[in-house]
């Protein structure tokens, strides 16, 4: 089953975990520490956490952005190019995509809002990994990857796609019990991206 199909069939918890996992792996671009999203993860374990989702989300935004830095002007998470832009560096584009993921997170944990967010976060996270991968991805866009066309994928994009699929499969197959292994998958991806960002920073001097 393709990533697009998995998102289309996921329930509310699976969608929230999918979007949150994409954002979690990209936290190094926002300057956050490894624990910054833990309250949101914890709230997915039971239905009672749904009522606190919005409050916890705003706390995360305050810690990462402060003073309303994250807002509607950031645009949609999936907007942007797959190869950077003339107006800024590849890193700037990646940071902007990560900012948009957090800005677009719905304050209410409804399936409708979460599905749109999870889908946009999936696109944004794949674009971020495509931008930062030192090896070129042979595809024209990440959309083909999400639909199951995986020939010529670069290593970072392939790993991110695999993690997105794994998170959705874990939640679909195990419900709340899938949250812990999903978090472990996300933690692994965050460490990988943090190392990539660090290497690129050292090269720039």
């Amino acid at each position: 089953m393709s990533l697009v199909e998995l998102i289309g069939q996921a329930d509310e918890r699976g969608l929230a975990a999918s979007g949150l996992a994409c954002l979690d792996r990209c936290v190094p671009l926002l300057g956050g520490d490894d624990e910054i999203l833990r309250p949101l993860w914890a709230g997915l374990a039971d239905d009672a956490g749904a009522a606190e989702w919005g409050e916890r989300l705003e706390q995360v935004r305050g810690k990462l952005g402060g003073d309303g830095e994250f807002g509607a002007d950031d645009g949609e998470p999936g907007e942007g190019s797959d190869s950077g832009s003339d107006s800024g560096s590849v890193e700037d584009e990646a940071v902007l995509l990560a900012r948009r993921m957090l800005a677009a997170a719905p304050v209410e944990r409804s399936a409708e809002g979460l599905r749109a967010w999870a889908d946009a976060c999936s696109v944004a996270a794949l674009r971020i990994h495509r931008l930062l991968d030192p090896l070129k991805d042979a595809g024209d866009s990440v959309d083909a990857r999400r639909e199951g066309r995986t020939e010529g994928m670069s290593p970072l994009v392939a790993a991110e796609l695999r993690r997105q699929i794994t998170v959705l499969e874990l939640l679909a197959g195990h419900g709340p019990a899938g949250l812990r292994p999903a978090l472990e998958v996300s933690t692994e991806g965050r460490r990988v991206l943090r190392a990539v960002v660090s290497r690129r920073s050292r090269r720039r001097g």
Side-chain angles (χ1 to χ4, degrees), residues 8 78 81 84 92 107-108 127 153 173 179 186:
S81 71
D92 291 339
V107 294
E108 293 185 9
R127 284 180 170 168
M153 277 196 299
L179 285 169
S186 185

Side-chain angles (χ1 to χ4, degrees), residues 134-204:
L135 300 178
K136 182 176 175 58
D137 187 275
D140 292 332
S141 74
V142 301
D143 294 333
R145 306 316 190 189
R146 286 168 19 95
E147 294 166 359
R149 299 194 294 277
T150 58
E151 298 84 359
M153 277 196 299
S154 61
L156 274 184
V157 174
E160 172 59 16
L161 179 66
R162 183 172 62 251
R163 291 185 185 103
Q164 289 190 23
I165 290 173
T166 299
V167 166
L168 285 160
E169 289 178 340
L170 284 168
L171 270 294
H174 303 286
L179 285 169
R180 181 177 292 275
L183 179 56
E184 291 172 354
V185 168
S186 185
T187 298
E188 176 196 12
R190 185 175 62 245
R191 289 170 180 162
V192 169
L193 192 64
R194 194 181 295 281
V196 170
V197 171
S198 178
R199 281 197 299 271
R200 292 182 69 95
S201 179
R202 288 198 300 269
R203 287 198 200 104
R204 293 197 309 271

Side-chain angles (χ1 to χ4, degrees), residues 66-82:
D67 298 330
E69 182 180 346
F70 294 99
D73 291 343
D74 285 325
E76 293 299 320
E79 289 179 356
S81 71
D82 289 339

Side-chain angles (χ1 to χ4, degrees), residues 3 7 22 117-127 146 160 164:
L3 177 58
I7 292 174
C22 289
W117 182 58
D119 192 64
C121 285
S122 167
V123 173
L126 286 167
R127 284 180 170 168
R146 286 168 19 95
E160 172 59 16
Q164 289 190 23

Side-chain angles (χ1 to χ4, degrees), residues 9-176:
Q9 296 182 13
D11 63 10
E12 178 189 304
R13 181 179 284 109
L15 293 167
S18 177
L20 189 57
C22 289
L23 178 60
D24 202 355
R25 289 190 291 276
C26 296
V27 156
L29 294 166
L30 300 175
D33 61 41
D34 290 347
E35 302 297 318
I36 188 72
L37 299 182
R38 281 300 178 97
L40 289 171
W41 279 106
L44 296 183
D46 54 52
D47 293 336
E52 299 175 355
W53 167 270
E55 180 182 350
R56 293 177 179 182
L57 178 61
E58 291 305 324
Q59 289 173 354
V60 170
R61 285 173 172 155
K63 290 176 181 178
L64 289 177
D67 298 330
E69 182 180 346
F70 294 99
D73 291 343
D74 285 325
E76 293 299 320
E79 289 179 356
S81 71
D82 289 339
S83 56
S85 64
D86 295 336
S87 61
S89 69
V90 166
E91 287 78 10
D92 291 339
E93 178 77 7
V95 169
L96 180 57
L97 287 167
R99 282 168 47 88
R100 287 172 173 171
M101 276 195 271
L102 182 55
V107 294
E108 293 185 9
R109 249 178 61 183
S110 67
E112 181 180 0
L114 288 169
R115 196 175 312 279
W117 182 58
D119 192 64
C121 285
S122 167
V123 173
L126 286 167
R127 284 180 170 168
I128 286 170
H129 285 75
R130 181 183 171 105
L131 285 165
L132 298 179
D133 199 326
L135 300 178
K136 182 176 175 58
D137 187 275
D140 292 332
S141 74
V142 301
D143 294 333
R145 306 316 190 189
R146 286 168 19 95
E147 294 166 359
R149 299 194 294 277
T150 58
E151 298 84 359
M153 277 196 299
S154 61
L156 274 184
V157 174
E160 172 59 16
L161 179 66
R162 183 172 62 251
R163 291 185 185 103
Q164 289 190 23
I165 290 173
T166 299
V167 166
L168 285 160
E169 289 178 340
L170 284 168
L171 270 294
H174 303 286

